[in-house]
Amino acid sequence: MLRKLRIVIGILVFCSLSLFFFNVIDSLGILAKIQLIPALLAANLLSILFLSIMTLLLGRLYCSILCPLGIMQDIVIWVSRKASKNKKRFTYDPAWTKLRYAVLAIVVVAFFAGFALIPAILDPYSIYGRIATHLLSPVWLSINNLLAIVSDKFELYYIAKKTIHVQSIEAMLLSIGFLLVIGFMAWKYGRLYCNTICPAGTLLGTLSRFSLFKISINPVKCNHCSLCAATCKSSCIDSKTQRIDYSRCIDCFDCLENCPQNALTFTTRFSTKPSGKNADVTDIKVINMKAADTEVSRRRFLTTGALSMFGVAVSVAGATASPSAGSAGENQPVLPPGAKSNKHLSSNCTSCHLCVSKCPNQALKPMSIGYGIGAVMQPAMDYRKGYCDYECNLCGMTCPTDAIQQISLEQKQKIKIGYVVFNQTHCVVETDNVNCGNCAVHCPTKAITMVTYKDKKIPSIDLSRCIGCGSCEYHCPTNPRAIHVVGFAEHK
Amino acid sequence: MTEPKGEKISRRQVLKYAGGGAVGLAALLYGLDRSQLLAFLDKDAENGMPLQVSKRKVNGIETPLLGFGCMRLPVINRDFSKIDTELAEKMIDYGYRRGVNYYDTAYPYHGGQSEVFLGNTLKKYPRDSVYIQDKMPVWAIKNVDDAQRIFEEQLQRCQVNYFDNYLLHALGLASANSGNPKDAFIGYEKMGLLDYLRQEKTRGRIRQLGFSYHGDVPFLKYLLDNHSWDVVMIDLNYLDWSHSNADERFNNLPSGNNGKYAGELYKLLEEKGVPCYVMEPVRGGMLATLNPAAIKVFKTADPNRSTASWAMRYTATLPNVACVVSGMSILEHVVDNVNTMTDFKPLTQADYQVIDNAVEAFLNHETIFCTECRYCMPCPYGVDIPAIFRVFNECSGDLGVPDPDKPAANYPAQQRVFLTKYNNAVEKSAQADHCIGCETCLQHCPKRLQIPQHMRRIDDLVGKLKHQKEVV
């Protein structure tokens, strides 16, 4: 029963969040705001309190019903279980305490040092966000565009076509990598990522040790058959000693329904006494243990390998990146309104790319490595394919980490995120000898007026009115643009 | 040129359609390429005597109800001075076999090639079996010698020694060099132009003398009161007849030359007993395309009649109209018009009501008169002009174009459909906001649509629609 409830809620959350990323539904942004690492970055007390209380009461339920990456792994595990037929797949594995806390420590240090890239890369919600934005969304959009063609044929006109383009090579490759590695780990070893690397898992694990409700083994009923351990995707049930590692148990409740003795229950910690009884060790079990040992070592090898690969990737990226993050100039990206400054964005954004998915004009794009290692994959404006709509503040409203702050439309319309530069040699007046004025027509703040130049008119810019929305750059007919926006390192 | 493809149309099919529903035939022609059209015309030439268009006798002269206007003949490569003579000649022949033997041309048409073409085409027919109408380009002459030179040149070009009708071209049109139309006319008079032309009439090189008119009512009255004329040619069609310029919805229409007074001009001619020749009966094609709402009215009334046929019948029903001259640039026009004027049936009272309803539907659903000829394309800045206009016009049908300032009851649906269509039919980089107003398209548009203005308006509309989610 509990397991079914967990599955139903999990699937609902997973689908809603995915559809939220795909812009099929516009509400339910709460599912992003309730994610642990973003909530911590945003100092979202309500979400932190809710998650702490939930964990202290029920254990790591977050990992089973709220974390999209966790639920995605559950789906992979479910498929692998269906595919392999081998029911006895998982075995108990001692906790990797040192590794877990080492990773958590690095994340915490990076967090306080204002280097959000580390949490960004490891945060499960953000990993899923990038997979959704860069891998799942194009698939969804293709379906959407097919549906649009069909609905247009029937003269319904409910579905708008959307353009599909690769927004960021870095984010896409990283997403493919993570999908393959985490997918493989889940297929073979269950929730290995969640219990070795995931900082959210480790953090919640420290709390869930003390949770009120726990799964406990009735020592009298239990006959050490180890069926529970075989179904435990967290590898946290040691049926020989009848112990469960509560720091790793994610409340999936799979074991409850699998125990032939009905020895497992989900009850308060006070209702059962911890069992100290040692199990009889038979020959068969010794063999099993040996098998488990080799399995464990292979697993450790794999995880360490994956982690060191990641380390190498980060250091290579760091080495090749120009150290210009934070410095102004041509390499200064135009940050979305609400991002405040280079520093604020780079120390808060976990690159979940929800804003990238949400931007109605597709003006937000993840930054390339060229903007510095601290900024890579974080969102910035790209005015060639779209511009920042004067009447829109969606990115700030949806950002779960507060890297793009929630600002009202009135505030947004006043914040200067950049300033515009006019290069007359590229202007269509010079190149094609025709009058244009498209920049002035589309400037929402009337910062551009057309002034006479020879027998034609060229734009004159009032920088006190320009907010850097990029409408002029987008509407400029020449290539390269005669008018373009340069970002402010700190918004004004 | 006869390609096997042309065999698609068997003689039996031609015969089948020739008598009755030419709408069916016009539909059959639709989509055929040039060689297939030529093959069709060659086949048609083998037929015996087809049915003839109705004739009308006004002031003792009998003319066919349909005249062949030679201002918009088929051309090669969109070059207006290069008439597709092979196709155009066969179109003329097709009409001739059916009694369409009245031809209207003028000095400037097709850069002077219209007259030359007509001369070459008609020389194979007995001179007295055709009526040729030509016009004096009054704006181009400074003295009688000019007039004489041009007149001689016209006779030479047309390879004739007389014109059945000869008109002063476009009186009443205020032009830059002649100023006030009345003063300009008095100038011609003083110059001796009228005397010269009357002289030619006496010599027999002009059978009937008149003028084509694009002016207002008082000036026409002046012309009729002070001189005697054999014929007058005016713009006349139901759209310009039945609505005065007090109707502000007309301000959005590309204007007919003197459309707003057409009814009064006709009545004046009838009163003075001067035969009326009609030009622009389909208003430059506008009354053939109208908009979906108006077409629906016509198709509901009679699915077998073409939309243009209502316009043709409207003018031909007027008793003082001697001949309706239609500029026919494709074979479908010829076939359709010939069919309308064969065994001509005047409009009934019920038919007038249908036209009124259609006009009402037309004016209530604003339309941009783009025929998607694509002459404007490619736009140097990537705007897909015909696609944008199509979206606008499709929305202007039953649903209506949303008006954010005066939202209709079905505004949310209008808004949704307009934005979705616009988004799905026009690439983002080809939408109206990329029009910079360079006006390159203006010189290419045969309908003289103010394309940049329309783009600006549609762009503003889209901007408002996107941001106005809820209607207050």
Side-chain angles (χ1 to χ4, degrees):
Chain A
M1 186 60 210
L2 280 173
R3 178 171 173 263
K4 287 217 174 78
L5 199 64
R6 184 269 300 176
I7 292 173
V8 169
I9 297 176
I11 294 289
L12 271 178
V13 167
F14 183 77
C15 291
S16 317
L17 193 61
S18 301
L19 292 177
F20 185 62
F21 263 93
F22 300 158
N23 288 311
V24 177
I25 46 176
D26 293 331
S27 47
L28 288 175
I30 183 76
L31 290 177
K33 304 225 168 184
I34 208 159
Q35 301 295 334
L36 180 65
I37 305 279
L40 286 170
L41 277 162
N44 183 345
L45 290 178
L46 217 63
S47 292
I48 296 170
L49 206 66
F50 170 78
L51 289 175
S52 312
I53 291 174
M54 187 174 82
T55 311
L56 281 172
L57 270 179
L58 303 167
R60 280 173 62 182
L61 203 54
Y62 166 82
C63 304
S64 276
I65 63 166
L66 288 179
C67 173
L69 192 73
I71 302 166
M72 196 184 85
Q73 291 179 75
D74 284 352
I75 295 170
V76 173
I77 293 164
W78 180 76
V79 174
S80 80
R81 196 175 283 166
K82 290 276 162 205
S84 72
K85 309 258 174 183
N86 178 10
K87 299 277 176 197
K88 294 192 175 186
R89 329 188 30 248
F90 303 119
T91 46
Y92 173 72
D93 178 16
W96 301 34
T97 318
K98 277 180 195 159
L99 176 65
R100 294 174 77 186
Y101 285 102
V103 173
L104 183 63
I106 293 171
V107 169
V108 169
V109 168
F111 172 69
F112 282 110
F115 190 65
L117 183 65
I118 303 289
I121 288 179
L122 299 178
D123 168 36
Y125 156 75
S126 300
I127 292 173
Y128 177 74
R130 290 189 294 269
I131 291 175
T133 306
H134 301 286
L135 303 180
L136 303 183
S137 187
V139 176
W140 167 256
L141 288 183
S142 318
I143 298 170
N144 172 78
N145 289 356
L146 272 177
L147 289 176
I149 293 169
V150 173
S151 88
D152 281 11
K153 278 268 183 296
F154 288 99
E155 302 197 348
L156 293 169
Y157 307 115
Y158 279 96
I159 304 168
K161 274 191 216 161
K162 282 172 191 156
T163 41
I164 308 168
H165 40 76
V166 177
Q167 281 156 319
S168 158
I169 297 283
E170 287 92 340
M172 203 167 122
L173 292 178
L174 194 72
S175 302
I176 292 174
F178 265 93
L179 188 66
L180 290 179
V181 170
I182 294 180
F184 176 74
M185 282 170 146
W187 187 278
K188 291 285 274 189
Y189 308 115
R191 294 288 203 110
L192 187 56
Y193 177 82
C194 312
N195 286 325
T196 49
I197 297 168
C198 178
T202 311
L203 209 55
L204 290 175
T206 54
L207 286 184
S208 68
R209 289 169 197 272
F210 312 107
S211 68
L212 181 60
F213 280 86
K214 286 179 163 183
I215 289 174
S216 51
I217 305 173
N218 185 328
V220 183
K221 283 185 182 174
C222 173
N223 62 356
H224 306 285
C225 73
S226 83
L227 259 178
C228 50
T231 49
C232 179
K233 53 197 172 202
S234 291
S235 303
C236 69
I237 308 176
D238 183 359
S239 62
K240 292 185 286 299
T241 59
Q242 296 184 339
R243 278 188 187 167
I244 296 171
D245 179 356
Y246 294 114
S247 78
R248 285 184 288 156
C249 172
I250 54 155
D251 285 353
C252 72
F253 308 126
D254 286 358
C255 53
L256 294 190
E257 294 184 5
N258 255 299
C259 180
Q261 305 296 319
N262 275 331
L264 291 149
T265 43
F266 188 61
T267 50
T268 59
R269 57 192 295 127
F270 309 112
S271 59
T272 48
K273 282 183 190 125
S275 143
K277 184 188 158 202
N278 262 330
D280 300 328
V281 181
T282 65
D283 292 346
I284 300 161
K285 276 172 188 156
V286 171
I287 294 162
N288 274 349
M289 270 181 78
K290 276 184 180 160
D293 278 351
T294 52
E295 184 69 355
V296 164
S297 58
R298 200 195 306 168
R299 228 178 295 173
R300 294 200 174 198
F301 172 76
L302 205 90
T303 319
T304 325
L307 206 70
S308 50
M309 252 171 62
F310 160 70
V312 169
V314 167
S315 46
V316 166
T320 52
S322 62
S324 66
S327 69
E330 274 301 299
N331 213 19
Q332 168 60 39
V334 187
L335 306 179
K340 280 172 80 178
S341 63
N342 284 350
K343 192 168 174 297
H344 178 83
L345 184 71
S346 65
S347 58
N348 283 276
C349 174
T350 60
S351 307
C352 70
H353 294 170
L354 183 59
C355 52
V356 174
S357 285
K358 283 285 157 194
C359 180
N361 278 1
Q362 298 179 314
L364 271 176
K365 265 177 73 171
M367 280 185 254
S368 69
I369 198 89
Y371 287 105
I373 187 70
V376 68
M377 292 196 310
Q378 292 179 345
M381 295 298 189
D382 179 353
Y383 290 143
R384 282 166 304 174
K385 295 251 164 64
Y387 59 97
C388 184
D389 194 325
Y390 191 61
E391 310 278 343
C392 168
N393 56 352
L394 212 56
C395 49
M397 298 310 278
T398 48
C399 178
T401 68
D402 228 18
I404 308 175
Q405 291 185 322
Q406 269 197 34
I407 45 171
S408 71
L409 214 49
E410 288 75 35
Q411 285 173 300
K412 175 245 157 91
Q413 290 169 350
K414 288 194 187 87
I415 292 176
K416 295 171 185 295
I417 61 173
Y419 62 100
V420 88
V421 175
F422 175 58
N423 184 339
Q424 195 176 321
T425 51
H426 292 150
C427 183
V428 75
V429 167
E430 298 280 0
T431 58
D432 297 11
N433 196 30
V434 289
N435 266 321
C436 173
N438 217 25
C439 48
V441 167
H442 290 100
C443 177
T445 60
K446 306 266 177 295
I448 304 176
T449 42
M450 298 305 288
V451 294
T452 308
Y453 165 77
K454 293 182 188 166
D455 60 331
K456 297 278 186 310
K457 290 203 161 174
I458 55 167
S460 156
I461 297 148
D462 177 1
L463 283 182
S464 69
R465 308 189 79 152
C466 174
I467 57 167
C469 73
S471 178
C472 51
E473 183 176 337
Y474 172 75
H475 289 107
C476 180
T478 57
N479 221 344
R481 301 281 196 258
I483 196 161
H484 73 279
V485 177
V486 177
F488 283 128
E490 195 146 344
H491 289 174
K492 290 170 187 173
Chain B
M1 287 306 287
T2 327
E3 282 179 14
K5 269 183 177 176
E7 299 294 332
K8 267 190 195 163
I9 304 157
S10 69
R11 176 180 304 205
R12 193 188 298 162
Q13 274 173 301
V14 171
L15 289 173
K16 183 176 152 199
Y17 287 115
V23 171
L25 180 55
L28 189 76
L29 295 170
Y30 183 78
L32 296 188
D33 62 27
R34 184 175 175 278
S35 62
Q36 290 170 317
L37 292 175
L38 289 172
F40 164 80
L41 287 167
D42 289 341
K43 271 238 156 62
D44 179 75
E46 295 165 14
N47 291 334
M49 208 48 188
L51 290 172
Q52 300 288 297
V53 298
S54 302
K55 293 189 185 304
R56 180 168 292 164
K57 203 167 188 174
V58 181
N59 282 7
I61 307 242
E62 193 178 52
T63 46
L65 267 181
L66 176 63
F68 207 118
C70 299
M71 191 177 88
R72 311 170 209 263
L73 294 167
V75 294
I76 294 164
N77 293 335
R78 298 178 186 176
D79 181 347
F80 227 58
S81 63
K82 280 196 190 129
I83 297 171
D84 181 349
T85 46
E86 188 184 6
L87 182 58
E89 177 167 357
K90 285 180 176 167
M91 280 162 59
I92 296 258
D93 295 344
Y94 178 93
Y96 182 86
R97 289 194 292 278
R98 286 161 178 77
V100 181
N101 57 355
Y102 189 96
Y103 308 92
D104 170 83
T105 185
Y107 194 68
Y109 291 174
H110 288 286
Q113 291 303 303
S114 174
E115 291 174 329
V116 176
F117 161 77
L118 212 53
N120 289 331
T121 302
L122 298 183
K123 67 182 173 198
K124 63 176 176 272
Y125 298 123
R127 177 65 185 91
D128 61 359
S129 75
V130 293
Y131 299 87
I132 298 175
Q133 168 171 290
D134 209 337
K135 312 188 191 84
M136 170 61 68
V138 288
W139 60 87
I141 57 163
K142 298 204 167 48
N143 49 49
V144 177
D145 292 343
D146 283 348
Q148 195 168 356
R149 181 179 50 76
I150 288 174
F151 185 73
E152 296 292 348
E153 189 186 348
Q154 286 177 313
L155 286 174
Q156 208 175 9
R157 279 180 180 178
C158 294
Q159 305 181 36
V160 292
N161 44 27
Y162 72 91
F163 288 117
D164 296 272
N165 284 359
Y166 197 78
L167 312 179
L168 297 171
H169 200 167
L171 291 191
L173 201 62
S175 60
N177 54 355
S178 52
N180 179 310
K182 190 171 166 181
D183 295 343
F185 176 76
I186 291 169
Y188 309 143
E189 217 179 338
K190 282 186 180 155
M191 193 193 292
L193 177 65
L194 255 57
D195 294 333
Y196 164 69
L197 292 177
R198 285 189 189 119
Q199 207 179 312
E200 292 290 2
K201 193 182 164 187
T202 328
R203 285 179 66 191
R205 300 212 290 179
I206 291 173
R207 293 282 164 91
Q208 298 197 98
L209 186 59
F211 56 89
S212 69
Y213 191 69
H214 296 290
D216 58 12
V217 183
F219 183 42
L220 180 69
K221 196 162 175 355
Y222 167 86
L223 289 171
L224 297 178
D225 284 346
N226 292 288
H227 298 275
S228 76
W229 306 94
D230 305 315
V231 292
V232 172
M233 190 173 206
I234 58 170
D235 289 328
L236 188 61
N237 57 66
Y238 62 74
L239 195 61
D240 294 330
W241 178 286
S242 47
H243 293 267
S244 74
N245 54 351
D247 193 329
E248 62 170 25
R249 291 176 299 183
F250 265 80
N251 295 336
N252 289 322
L253 300 181
S255 99
N257 280 327
N258 61 351
K260 286 163 183 171
Y261 321 105
E264 289 162 75
L265 297 178
Y266 171 81
K267 282 173 195 154
L268 199 57
L269 290 175
E270 192 173 40
E271 187 187 311
K272 300 279 180 187
V274 181
C276 175
Y277 284 66
V278 172
M279 54 185 161
E280 299 284 345
V282 197
R283 215 174 191 273
M286 185 199 285
L287 302 186
T289 43
L290 289 170
N291 63 16
I295 290 177
K296 202 171 155 190
V297 174
F298 283 133
K299 287 292 169 194
T300 314
D302 189 345
N304 291 320
R305 283 188 194 283
S306 70
T307 309
S309 75
W310 291 87
M312 296 300 286
R313 286 169 70 220
Y314 182 90
T315 44
T317 299
L318 298 164
N320 191 40
V321 165
C323 179
V324 181
V325 176
S326 173
M328 298 178 270
S329 35
I330 58 173
L331 184 57
E332 279 170 84
H333 297 160
V334 186
V335 171
D336 185 37
N337 283 342
V338 163
N339 180 62
T340 306
M341 295 306 196
T342 306
D343 188 20
F344 176 72
K345 297 217 170 41
L347 293 178
T348 63
Q349 214 49 48
D351 290 338
Y352 278 114
Q353 190 56 49
V354 170
I355 290 179
D356 277 354
N357 294 344
V359 168
E360 201 55 34
F362 175 66
L363 293 176
N364 281 335
H365 297 93
E366 195 196 334
T367 309
I368 297 164
F369 302 102
C370 170
T371 57
E372 297 188 43
C373 68
R374 303 190 71 84
Y375 289 1
C376 53
M377 297 295 281
C379 162
Y381 301 98
V383 179
D384 192 345
I385 300 164
I388 293 168
F389 286 167
R390 191 194 312 136
V391 168
F392 187 93
N393 287 343
E394 281 178 3
C395 287
S396 139
D398 289 343
L399 191 71
V401 172
D403 183 351
D405 300 324
K406 276 183 272 170
N410 63 342
Y411 179 80
Q414 290 179 329
Q415 184 191 33
R416 187 197 81 230
V417 172
F418 191 95
L419 286 180
T420 312
K421 273 194 171 193
Y422 189 67
N423 174 78
N424 292 2
V426 191
E427 286 285 318
K428 202 176 165 192
S429 62
Q431 291 182 350
D433 57 342
H434 291 277
C435 171
I436 68 160
C438 71
E439 303 191 341
T440 307
C441 48
L442 284 185
Q443 61 207 21
H444 297 301
C445 180
K447 298 275 168 192
R448 282 172 289 172
L449 293 178
Q450 292 298 314
I451 295 171
Q453 281 177 30
H454 284 301
M455 287 299 160
R456 185 80 276 115
R457 206 162 56 96
I458 291 174
D459 182 27
D460 287 347
L461 176 66
V462 170
K464 279 185 185 167
L465 291 180
K466 274 186 181 161
H467 293 128
Q468 196 166 334
K469 300 272 187 241
E470 306 283 326
V471 180
V472 188

